[in-house]
């Protein structure tokens, strides 16, 4: 992943937009990234905890574009739709786990 590459990843159990804070090789065990939260349709602002270190296995989608800015990212429509789909899928997964756990408790 090159410096500035934009992707979707799991960060602290949340689906987030991330940007590579520096270039990484395939052999790196950790990726240093900037994290972004939704601010409106297709717009993402730097999150309250703007830097994170994630495992490469936490990457969900790596987009074929980079951005030089580190305070705000505007995603193309297709990338935004992918983000929405992955976020909804992740939410459903956790809701189903919760329902199954509650059913076992009764």
């Amino acid at each position: 992943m090159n410096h500035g590459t934009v992707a979707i990843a799991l960060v602290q159990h949340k689906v987030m937009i991330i940007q590579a804070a520096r270039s990484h090789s395939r052999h790196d065990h950790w990726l240093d990234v900037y994290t972004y939260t939704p601010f409106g349709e297709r717009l993402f602002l730097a999150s309250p905890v703007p830097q994170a270190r994630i495992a490469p296995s936490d990457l969900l989608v790596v987009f074929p574009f980079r951005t030089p800015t580190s305070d705000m990212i505007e995603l193309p429509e297709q990338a935004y739709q992918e983000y929405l789909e992955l976020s909804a899928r992740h939410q459903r997964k956790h809701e189903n786990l919760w329902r199954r756990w509650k059913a076992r408790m009764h």
Side-chain angles (χ1 to χ4, degrees), residues 1-72:
M1 238 171 95
N2 294 323
H3 180 263
T5 299
V6 178
I8 301 173
L10 286 175
V11 180
Q12 295 183 342
H13 308 289
K14 295 179 191 171
V15 175
M16 298 185 86
I17 296 298
I18 59 110
Q19 178 188 38
R22 62 178 182 84
S23 292
H24 298 87
S25 74
R26 293 189 184 274
H27 305 293
D28 287 344
H29 295 287
W30 300 103
L31 305 175
D32 296 311
V33 298
Y34 299 118
T35 59
Y36 297 85
T37 56
F39 181 68
E41 188 158 323
R42 297 177 39 212
L43 285 178
F44 293 80
L45 296 180
S47 70
V49 181
Q51 291 184 311
R53 180 169 275 185
I54 64 171
S57 60
D58 291 334
L59 290 173
L60 302 175
V61 175
V62 177
F63 296 118
F65 59 87
R66 291 187 281 180
T67 182
T69 183
S70 63
D71 56 348
M72 182 180 80

Side-chain angles (χ1 to χ4, degrees), residues 7 19 25 43 45-46 48 66-67 81-82 87 90-91 95 98:
Q19 178 188 38
S25 74
L43 285 178
L45 296 180
R66 291 187 281 180
T67 182
Q81 291 305 318
E82 282 188 71
S87 293
H90 189 71
Q91 180 70 29
E95 287 172 356
W98 175 250

Side-chain angles (χ1 to χ4, degrees), residues 74-90:
E74 183 174 4
L75 293 179
E77 185 61 35
Q78 183 178 353
Y80 183 64
Q81 291 305 318
E82 282 188 71
Y83 168 78
L84 291 176
E85 181 182 324
L86 288 168
S87 293
R89 189 181 309 160
H90 189 71

